[in-house]
Amino acid sequence: MIEIVLATRNAHKVAEVQRIVDSICSDITVLDLSAWPDAPEVVEDAPTFAGNALLKARALAAHTGKPTMADDSGICVDALNGMPGIFSARWSGTHGNDAQNLQLLLDQMSDVPDSRRGAQFTCAVALATPDGDERVVEGVVDGEIVRAPRGLDGFGYDPIFQPYGFDRTTAELSAQEKDAISHRGQALHAFVPVVLDLLAPVQGCGDNCQCQAAR
């Protein structure tokens, strides 16, 4: 088994990441931060998703002494010049208040015509080891902002984001449908081979293990 710490206390994100990783390679275990209650809160002050993901991965790898993955993700709206972007989780001024963030974005888009409501969900996933090895991959899914929330699944801006090619928001998709096209799903599909190449020789993943199919 390859063990990686996930640098988040967001239970929704932990469950989603483990589900996607399991679908690619069941020999990778994603550990949450419950074993490290004193883990630091990392200030995400980099100007890019990749930069913020690396800040978190580095800090938690140093703290836990284990390979650590971290992601930074958000929604980039064309009519708002790419915002909220890296400020997605605190767009309303309160970090992690999904309902307020979502409503503020809808209010800001209220007069924007349907033809100009394009948006992208972007996710950067970083891996850092205590020895200083670092990798970053990214995933993007294009879509549009709908005019009212729809769907009960997902989290964050999922209820108001409709991927191109679908007539449902990401909060209306099944977990399997969302994982197949989501920004985080795309990033993790690129991330798993990186993990295997970097960590499998160190943590004992053999040539005959099922991880080989993901490389």
Short mmCIF file of all heavy atoms in Angstrom, two decimals, residues 65-125:
data_model
loop_
_atom_site.label_atom_id
_atom_site.label_comp_id
_atom_site.label_asym_id
_atom_site.label_seq_id
_atom_site.Cartn_x
_atom_site.Cartn_y
_atom_site.Cartn_z
N GLY A 65 5.72 14.29 8.04
CA GLY A 65 6.80 13.39 7.68
C GLY A 65 6.40 12.35 6.66
O GLY A 65 7.11 11.36 6.46
N LYS A 66 5.27 12.57 5.98
CA LYS A 66 4.77 11.63 4.98
C LYS A 66 4.54 12.35 3.65
O LYS A 66 4.32 13.57 3.62
CB LYS A 66 3.44 11.00 5.43
CG LYS A 66 3.58 10.03 6.60
CD LYS A 66 2.22 9.44 6.94
CE LYS A 66 2.34 8.33 7.98
NZ LYS A 66 3.01 7.13 7.44
N PRO A 67 4.57 11.61 2.54
CA PRO A 67 4.19 12.22 1.27
C PRO A 67 2.80 12.81 1.38
O PRO A 67 1.89 12.18 1.94
CB PRO A 67 4.22 11.04 0.28
CG PRO A 67 5.13 10.04 0.90
CD PRO A 67 4.94 10.18 2.39
N THR A 68 2.64 14.00 0.90
CA THR A 68 1.37 14.73 1.08
C THR A 68 0.89 15.28 -0.24
O THR A 68 1.66 15.82 -1.03
CB THR A 68 1.56 15.89 2.07
OG1 THR A 68 1.99 15.36 3.34
CG2 THR A 68 0.26 16.65 2.28
N MET A 69 -0.41 15.13 -0.46
CA MET A 69 -1.04 15.73 -1.62
C MET A 69 -1.95 16.86 -1.15
O MET A 69 -2.51 16.82 -0.05
CB MET A 69 -1.85 14.70 -2.42
CG MET A 69 -3.04 14.12 -1.69
SD MET A 69 -3.93 12.86 -2.64
CE MET A 69 -4.64 13.84 -3.96
N ALA A 70 -2.06 17.87 -1.97
CA ALA A 70 -2.95 18.99 -1.67
C ALA A 70 -3.51 19.49 -2.99
O ALA A 70 -2.86 19.40 -4.03
CB ALA A 70 -2.21 20.11 -0.96
N ASP A 71 -4.72 20.00 -2.93
CA ASP A 71 -5.27 20.57 -4.15
C ASP A 71 -5.77 21.98 -3.87
O ASP A 71 -6.04 22.36 -2.73
CB ASP A 71 -6.39 19.70 -4.72
CG ASP A 71 -7.76 19.98 -4.10
OD1 ASP A 71 -7.83 20.17 -2.87
OD2 ASP A 71 -8.74 20.03 -4.84
N ASP A 72 -5.80 22.76 -4.91
CA ASP A 72 -6.47 24.05 -4.85
C ASP A 72 -7.34 24.12 -6.09
O ASP A 72 -6.90 23.78 -7.19
CB ASP A 72 -5.48 25.21 -4.83
CG ASP A 72 -6.16 26.52 -4.45
OD1 ASP A 72 -7.06 26.49 -3.58
OD2 ASP A 72 -5.83 27.56 -5.02
N SER A 73 -8.57 24.50 -5.88
CA SER A 73 -9.51 24.48 -6.99
C SER A 73 -10.49 25.63 -6.85
O SER A 73 -10.63 26.23 -5.78
CB SER A 73 -10.27 23.14 -7.04
OG SER A 73 -10.98 22.92 -5.83
N GLY A 74 -11.16 25.92 -7.94
CA GLY A 74 -12.14 27.00 -7.90
C GLY A 74 -12.82 27.16 -9.23
O GLY A 74 -12.55 26.44 -10.19
N ILE A 75 -13.72 28.12 -9.27
CA ILE A 75 -14.48 28.39 -10.47
C ILE A 75 -14.02 29.72 -11.07
O ILE A 75 -13.83 30.69 -10.34
CB ILE A 75 -15.99 28.39 -10.17
CG1 ILE A 75 -16.80 28.34 -11.46
CG2 ILE A 75 -16.39 29.56 -9.28
CD1 ILE A 75 -18.25 27.94 -11.23
N CYS A 76 -13.80 29.72 -12.35
CA CYS A 76 -13.32 30.90 -13.07
C CYS A 76 -14.40 31.30 -14.07
O CYS A 76 -14.67 30.56 -15.02
CB CYS A 76 -12.02 30.59 -13.79
SG CYS A 76 -10.71 29.94 -12.72
N VAL A 77 -15.00 32.45 -13.86
CA VAL A 77 -16.16 32.88 -14.65
C VAL A 77 -15.72 33.90 -15.70
O VAL A 77 -15.08 34.90 -15.37
CB VAL A 77 -17.25 33.48 -13.73
CG1 VAL A 77 -18.45 33.94 -14.55
CG2 VAL A 77 -17.67 32.47 -12.67
N ASP A 78 -16.07 33.63 -16.94
CA ASP A 78 -15.63 34.49 -18.04
C ASP A 78 -16.08 35.93 -17.85
O ASP A 78 -15.29 36.87 -18.04
CB ASP A 78 -16.17 33.96 -19.37
CG ASP A 78 -15.61 32.59 -19.73
OD1 ASP A 78 -14.62 32.17 -19.11
OD2 ASP A 78 -16.19 31.94 -20.62
N ALA A 79 -17.34 36.13 -17.48
CA ALA A 79 -17.89 37.48 -17.37
C ALA A 79 -17.30 38.25 -16.20
O ALA A 79 -17.44 39.48 -16.12
CB ALA A 79 -19.42 37.42 -17.23
N LEU A 80 -16.64 37.56 -15.29
CA LEU A 80 -15.99 38.19 -14.14
C LEU A 80 -14.47 38.19 -14.30
O LEU A 80 -13.74 38.27 -13.30
CB LEU A 80 -16.39 37.48 -12.84
CG LEU A 80 -17.89 37.45 -12.50
CD1 LEU A 80 -18.12 36.69 -11.20
CD2 LEU A 80 -18.45 38.87 -12.40
N ASN A 81 -14.02 38.11 -15.55
CA ASN A 81 -12.58 38.14 -15.84
C ASN A 81 -11.81 37.04 -15.11
O ASN A 81 -10.69 37.26 -14.62
CB ASN A 81 -11.99 39.51 -15.50
CG ASN A 81 -12.55 40.62 -16.36
OD1 ASN A 81 -12.70 40.45 -17.57
ND2 ASN A 81 -12.88 41.75 -15.75
N GLY A 82 -12.43 35.86 -15.03
CA GLY A 82 -11.77 34.72 -14.42
C GLY A 82 -11.94 34.59 -12.92
O GLY A 82 -11.43 33.64 -12.32
N MET A 83 -12.62 35.51 -12.30
CA MET A 83 -12.88 35.41 -10.87
C MET A 83 -14.14 34.55 -10.65
O MET A 83 -14.92 34.38 -11.57
CB MET A 83 -13.09 36.80 -10.29
CG MET A 83 -11.89 37.72 -10.49
SD MET A 83 -10.39 37.13 -9.70
CE MET A 83 -10.71 37.62 -8.00
N PRO A 84 -14.32 34.00 -9.44
CA PRO A 84 -13.54 34.13 -8.21
C PRO A 84 -12.14 33.49 -8.26
O PRO A 84 -11.28 33.87 -7.49
CB PRO A 84 -14.41 33.44 -7.16
CG PRO A 84 -15.76 33.35 -7.73
CD PRO A 84 -15.57 33.26 -9.21
N GLY A 85 -11.94 32.50 -9.13
CA GLY A 85 -10.62 31.91 -9.24
C GLY A 85 -10.08 31.38 -7.93
O GLY A 85 -10.75 30.64 -7.22
N ILE A 86 -8.86 31.81 -7.59
CA ILE A 86 -8.23 31.32 -6.35
C ILE A 86 -8.94 31.80 -5.09
O ILE A 86 -8.67 31.31 -4.00
CB ILE A 86 -6.75 31.72 -6.29
CG1 ILE A 86 -6.59 33.24 -6.32
CG2 ILE A 86 -5.95 31.06 -7.40
CD1 ILE A 86 -5.18 33.73 -6.04
N PHE A 87 -9.88 32.74 -5.24
CA PHE A 87 -10.64 33.24 -4.09
C PHE A 87 -12.00 32.56 -3.96
O PHE A 87 -12.84 33.00 -3.18
CB PHE A 87 -10.84 34.76 -4.22
CG PHE A 87 -9.57 35.53 -4.36
CD1 PHE A 87 -9.22 36.11 -5.58
CD2 PHE A 87 -8.69 35.67 -3.30
CE1 PHE A 87 -8.04 36.82 -5.73
CE2 PHE A 87 -7.50 36.37 -3.44
CZ PHE A 87 -7.17 36.95 -4.65
N SER A 88 -12.22 31.48 -4.69
CA SER A 88 -13.54 30.84 -4.73
C SER A 88 -14.06 30.45 -3.36
O SER A 88 -15.24 30.63 -3.05
CB SER A 88 -13.49 29.61 -5.64
OG SER A 88 -13.27 29.97 -6.98
N ALA A 89 -13.19 29.90 -2.50
CA ALA A 89 -13.64 29.41 -1.19
C ALA A 89 -13.96 30.53 -0.22
O ALA A 89 -14.62 30.29 0.81
CB ALA A 89 -12.58 28.49 -0.59
N ARG A 90 -13.52 31.76 -0.52
CA ARG A 90 -13.78 32.87 0.39
C ARG A 90 -14.33 34.08 -0.37
O ARG A 90 -14.11 35.23 0.02
CB ARG A 90 -12.49 33.25 1.14
CG ARG A 90 -11.27 33.48 0.25
CD ARG A 90 -10.01 33.62 1.10
NE ARG A 90 -8.82 33.94 0.33
CZ ARG A 90 -8.05 33.05 -0.29
NH1 ARG A 90 -8.39 31.76 -0.24
NH2 ARG A 90 -6.97 33.42 -0.95
N TRP A 91 -15.07 33.82 -1.43
CA TRP A 91 -15.56 34.88 -2.31
C TRP A 91 -16.47 35.86 -1.57
O TRP A 91 -16.45 37.05 -1.82
CB TRP A 91 -16.29 34.28 -3.50
CG TRP A 91 -16.62 35.24 -4.60
CD1 TRP A 91 -17.85 35.43 -5.17
CD2 TRP A 91 -15.73 36.11 -5.31
NE1 TRP A 91 -17.78 36.35 -6.18
CE2 TRP A 91 -16.48 36.79 -6.29
CE3 TRP A 91 -14.36 36.38 -5.21
CZ2 TRP A 91 -15.92 37.73 -7.16
CZ3 TRP A 91 -13.79 37.31 -6.07
CH2 TRP A 91 -14.57 37.98 -7.01
N SER A 92 -17.25 35.36 -0.64
CA SER A 92 -18.16 36.22 0.12
C SER A 92 -17.50 36.85 1.33
O SER A 92 -18.13 37.62 2.06
CB SER A 92 -19.39 35.43 0.58
OG SER A 92 -19.01 34.42 1.51
N GLY A 93 -16.24 36.53 1.56
CA GLY A 93 -15.51 37.08 2.70
C GLY A 93 -15.35 36.12 3.85
O GLY A 93 -14.54 36.34 4.73
N THR A 94 -16.11 35.02 3.84
CA THR A 94 -16.03 34.01 4.89
C THR A 94 -15.55 32.71 4.27
O THR A 94 -16.23 32.16 3.41
CB THR A 94 -17.39 33.79 5.57
OG1 THR A 94 -17.86 35.04 6.09
CG2 THR A 94 -17.28 32.78 6.69
N HIS A 95 -14.40 32.22 4.68
CA HIS A 95 -13.82 31.03 4.07
C HIS A 95 -14.72 29.81 4.30
O HIS A 95 -15.12 29.53 5.42
CB HIS A 95 -12.44 30.75 4.65
CG HIS A 95 -11.67 29.72 3.89
ND1 HIS A 95 -11.91 28.37 4.01
CD2 HIS A 95 -10.68 29.84 2.97
CE1 HIS A 95 -11.10 27.70 3.21
NE2 HIS A 95 -10.33 28.57 2.57
N GLY A 96 -15.04 29.12 3.20
CA GLY A 96 -15.77 27.87 3.30
C GLY A 96 -17.27 28.00 3.46
O GLY A 96 -17.94 26.99 3.67
N ASN A 97 -17.83 29.21 3.35
CA ASN A 97 -19.29 29.36 3.44
C ASN A 97 -19.87 29.17 2.05
O ASN A 97 -20.07 30.12 1.30
CB ASN A 97 -19.66 30.73 4.01
CG ASN A 97 -21.13 30.80 4.40
OD1 ASN A 97 -21.99 30.28 3.69
ND2 ASN A 97 -21.41 31.45 5.52
N ASP A 98 -20.16 27.92 1.70
CA ASP A 98 -20.60 27.60 0.35
C ASP A 98 -21.85 28.36 -0.05
O ASP A 98 -21.95 28.87 -1.18
CB ASP A 98 -20.86 26.09 0.23
CG ASP A 98 -19.58 25.27 0.23
OD1 ASP A 98 -18.48 25.86 0.19
OD2 ASP A 98 -19.69 24.03 0.29
N ALA A 99 -22.83 28.43 0.85
CA ALA A 99 -24.10 29.06 0.50
C ALA A 99 -23.92 30.54 0.19
O ALA A 99 -24.47 31.06 -0.80
CB ALA A 99 -25.10 28.86 1.64
N GLN A 100 -23.15 31.23 0.99
CA GLN A 100 -22.93 32.66 0.76
C GLN A 100 -22.10 32.91 -0.49
O GLN A 100 -22.39 33.83 -1.26
CB GLN A 100 -22.25 33.30 1.98
CG GLN A 100 -23.17 33.47 3.18
CD GLN A 100 -22.49 34.25 4.30
OE1 GLN A 100 -21.44 34.86 4.12
NE2 GLN A 100 -23.10 34.23 5.48
N ASN A 101 -21.07 32.09 -0.70
CA ASN A 101 -20.24 32.24 -1.89
C ASN A 101 -21.07 32.05 -3.16
O ASN A 101 -20.97 32.84 -4.12
CB ASN A 101 -19.10 31.22 -1.88
CG ASN A 101 -18.07 31.50 -0.81
OD1 ASN A 101 -17.89 32.63 -0.38
ND2 ASN A 101 -17.39 30.46 -0.36
N LEU A 102 -21.88 31.01 -3.16
CA LEU A 102 -22.72 30.70 -4.32
C LEU A 102 -23.72 31.82 -4.59
O LEU A 102 -23.89 32.26 -5.73
CB LEU A 102 -23.43 29.36 -4.07
CG LEU A 102 -24.30 28.77 -5.17
CD1 LEU A 102 -24.33 27.24 -5.03
CD2 LEU A 102 -25.72 29.30 -5.12
N GLN A 103 -24.37 32.30 -3.54
CA GLN A 103 -25.38 33.35 -3.73
C GLN A 103 -24.77 34.66 -4.22
O GLN A 103 -25.35 35.34 -5.07
CB GLN A 103 -26.15 33.59 -2.43
CG GLN A 103 -27.36 34.50 -2.60
CD GLN A 103 -28.35 33.96 -3.62
OE1 GLN A 103 -28.80 32.81 -3.51
NE2 GLN A 103 -28.68 34.77 -4.63
N LEU A 104 -23.59 35.00 -3.71
CA LEU A 104 -22.93 36.22 -4.17
C LEU A 104 -22.60 36.11 -5.66
O LEU A 104 -22.81 37.07 -6.41
CB LEU A 104 -21.66 36.47 -3.37
CG LEU A 104 -20.81 37.68 -3.82
CD1 LEU A 104 -21.63 38.96 -3.78
CD2 LEU A 104 -19.56 37.80 -2.96
N LEU A 105 -22.11 34.96 -6.08
CA LEU A 105 -21.79 34.79 -7.49
C LEU A 105 -23.04 34.90 -8.35
O LEU A 105 -23.02 35.56 -9.41
CB LEU A 105 -21.10 33.44 -7.71
CG LEU A 105 -20.64 33.14 -9.13
CD1 LEU A 105 -19.68 34.22 -9.64
CD2 LEU A 105 -19.98 31.78 -9.21
N LEU A 106 -24.13 34.29 -7.92
CA LEU A 106 -25.38 34.40 -8.67
C LEU A 106 -25.84 35.85 -8.76
O LEU A 106 -26.30 36.31 -9.81
CB LEU A 106 -26.47 33.55 -8.02
CG LEU A 106 -26.46 32.06 -8.30
CD1 LEU A 106 -27.63 31.39 -7.60
CD2 LEU A 106 -26.51 31.77 -9.80
N ASP A 107 -25.73 36.58 -7.66
CA ASP A 107 -26.14 37.99 -7.66
C ASP A 107 -25.29 38.80 -8.64
O ASP A 107 -25.81 39.66 -9.37
CB ASP A 107 -26.00 38.59 -6.26
CG ASP A 107 -27.02 38.02 -5.27
OD1 ASP A 107 -28.00 37.42 -5.72
OD2 ASP A 107 -26.80 38.19 -4.05
N GLN A 108 -24.00 38.52 -8.68
CA GLN A 108 -23.11 39.24 -9.58
C GLN A 108 -23.38 38.90 -11.05
O GLN A 108 -23.08 39.70 -11.94
CB GLN A 108 -21.65 38.93 -9.23
CG GLN A 108 -21.23 39.49 -7.88
CD GLN A 108 -19.90 38.92 -7.41
OE1 GLN A 108 -19.57 37.76 -7.67
NE2 GLN A 108 -19.12 39.74 -6.72
N MET A 109 -23.96 37.74 -11.28
CA MET A 109 -24.25 37.30 -12.64
C MET A 109 -25.69 37.54 -13.06
O MET A 109 -26.09 37.13 -14.16
CB MET A 109 -23.94 35.79 -12.75
CG MET A 109 -22.50 35.41 -12.55
SD MET A 109 -21.50 35.78 -14.01
CE MET A 109 -22.12 34.55 -15.15
N SER A 110 -26.48 38.19 -12.24
CA SER A 110 -27.92 38.28 -12.49
C SER A 110 -28.27 38.95 -13.80
O SER A 110 -29.27 38.59 -14.45
CB SER A 110 -28.60 39.01 -11.33
OG SER A 110 -28.10 40.33 -11.22
N ASP A 111 -27.49 39.92 -14.25
CA ASP A 111 -27.78 40.64 -15.50
C ASP A 111 -26.97 40.14 -16.69
O ASP A 111 -27.05 40.72 -17.78
CB ASP A 111 -27.52 42.15 -15.31
CG ASP A 111 -28.47 42.79 -14.31
OD1 ASP A 111 -29.61 42.29 -14.19
OD2 ASP A 111 -28.07 43.76 -13.65
N VAL A 112 -26.20 39.09 -16.50
CA VAL A 112 -25.37 38.57 -17.59
C VAL A 112 -26.22 37.66 -18.47
O VAL A 112 -26.84 36.72 -17.97
CB VAL A 112 -24.16 37.80 -17.03
CG1 VAL A 112 -23.34 37.19 -18.16
CG2 VAL A 112 -23.30 38.72 -16.17
N PRO A 113 -26.27 37.91 -19.79
CA PRO A 113 -27.09 37.07 -20.67
C PRO A 113 -26.57 35.66 -20.78
O PRO A 113 -25.40 35.38 -20.49
CB PRO A 113 -27.01 37.80 -22.02
CG PRO A 113 -25.73 38.58 -21.96
CD PRO A 113 -25.56 38.98 -20.53
N ASP A 114 -27.43 34.76 -21.22
CA ASP A 114 -27.07 33.35 -21.32
C ASP A 114 -25.84 33.14 -22.20
O ASP A 114 -25.04 32.22 -21.95
CB ASP A 114 -28.24 32.54 -21.87
CG ASP A 114 -29.41 32.47 -20.90
OD1 ASP A 114 -29.21 32.81 -19.71
OD2 ASP A 114 -30.51 32.07 -21.32
N SER A 115 -25.67 33.95 -23.21
CA SER A 115 -24.57 33.77 -24.15
C SER A 115 -23.20 34.10 -23.56
O SER A 115 -22.17 33.80 -24.15
CB SER A 115 -24.79 34.64 -25.39
OG SER A 115 -24.85 36.02 -25.03
N ARG A 116 -23.20 34.72 -22.36
CA ARG A 116 -21.93 35.14 -21.76
C ARG A 116 -21.74 34.56 -20.36
O ARG A 116 -21.04 35.12 -19.53
CB ARG A 116 -21.86 36.67 -21.70
CG ARG A 116 -21.84 37.35 -23.06
CD ARG A 116 -21.72 38.86 -22.94
NE ARG A 116 -20.58 39.24 -22.10
CZ ARG A 116 -20.68 40.06 -21.04
NH1 ARG A 116 -21.85 40.57 -20.70
NH2 ARG A 116 -19.61 40.36 -20.34
N ARG A 117 -22.32 33.40 -20.11
CA ARG A 117 -22.26 32.81 -18.77
C ARG A 117 -21.26 31.64 -18.70
O ARG A 117 -21.35 30.78 -17.82
CB ARG A 117 -23.64 32.36 -18.32
CG ARG A 117 -24.64 33.53 -18.24
CD ARG A 117 -26.02 33.09 -17.78
NE ARG A 117 -26.05 32.73 -16.38
CZ ARG A 117 -26.27 33.59 -15.39
NH1 ARG A 117 -26.45 34.88 -15.65
NH2 ARG A 117 -26.31 33.18 -14.14
N GLY A 118 -20.29 31.62 -19.61
CA GLY A 118 -19.29 30.57 -19.61
C GLY A 118 -18.41 30.60 -18.37
O GLY A 118 -18.17 31.65 -17.78
N ALA A 119 -17.94 29.43 -17.97
CA ALA A 119 -17.09 29.31 -16.77
C ALA A 119 -16.28 28.03 -16.86
O ALA A 119 -16.59 27.13 -17.66
CB ALA A 119 -17.94 29.33 -15.51
N GLN A 120 -15.26 27.94 -16.03
CA GLN A 120 -14.43 26.73 -15.94
C GLN A 120 -14.18 26.40 -14.47
O GLN A 120 -13.90 27.29 -13.68
CB GLN A 120 -13.07 26.92 -16.63
CG GLN A 120 -13.13 27.38 -18.07
CD GLN A 120 -13.34 28.86 -18.21
OE1 GLN A 120 -12.74 29.64 -17.48
NE2 GLN A 120 -14.21 29.27 -19.13
N PHE A 121 -14.31 25.13 -14.17
CA PHE A 121 -13.81 24.62 -12.89
C PHE A 121 -12.37 24.19 -13.13
O PHE A 121 -12.08 23.45 -14.07
CB PHE A 121 -14.61 23.41 -12.42
CG PHE A 121 -15.68 23.72 -11.41
CD1 PHE A 121 -16.95 23.18 -11.54
CD2 PHE A 121 -15.41 24.51 -10.30
CE1 PHE A 121 -17.93 23.43 -10.60
CE2 PHE A 121 -16.39 24.76 -9.35
CZ PHE A 121 -17.65 24.22 -9.51
N THR A 122 -11.44 24.65 -12.29
CA THR A 122 -10.03 24.32 -12.41
C THR A 122 -9.53 23.69 -11.11
O THR A 122 -9.91 24.13 -10.02
CB THR A 122 -9.19 25.57 -12.73
OG1 THR A 122 -9.64 26.14 -13.95
CG2 THR A 122 -7.71 25.23 -12.85
N CYS A 123 -8.69 22.69 -11.23
CA CYS A 123 -8.11 22.03 -10.05
C CYS A 123 -6.63 21.76 -10.29
O CYS A 123 -6.26 21.22 -11.34
CB CYS A 123 -8.83 20.71 -9.77
SG CYS A 123 -8.13 19.76 -8.39
N ALA A 124 -5.81 22.14 -9.34
CA ALA A 124 -4.38 21.77 -9.35
C ALA A 124 -4.14 20.84 -8.17
O ALA A 124 -4.57 21.12 -7.05
CB ALA A 124 -3.50 23.01 -9.22
N VAL A 125 -3.47 19.73 -8.42
CA VAL A 125 -3.13 18.76 -7.37
C VAL A 125 -1.61 18.68 -7.28
O VAL A 125 -0.93 18.44 -8.29
CB VAL A 125 -3.72 17.37 -7.66
CG1 VAL A 125 -3.31 16.39 -6.55
CG2 VAL A 125 -5.23 17.44 -7.75
#
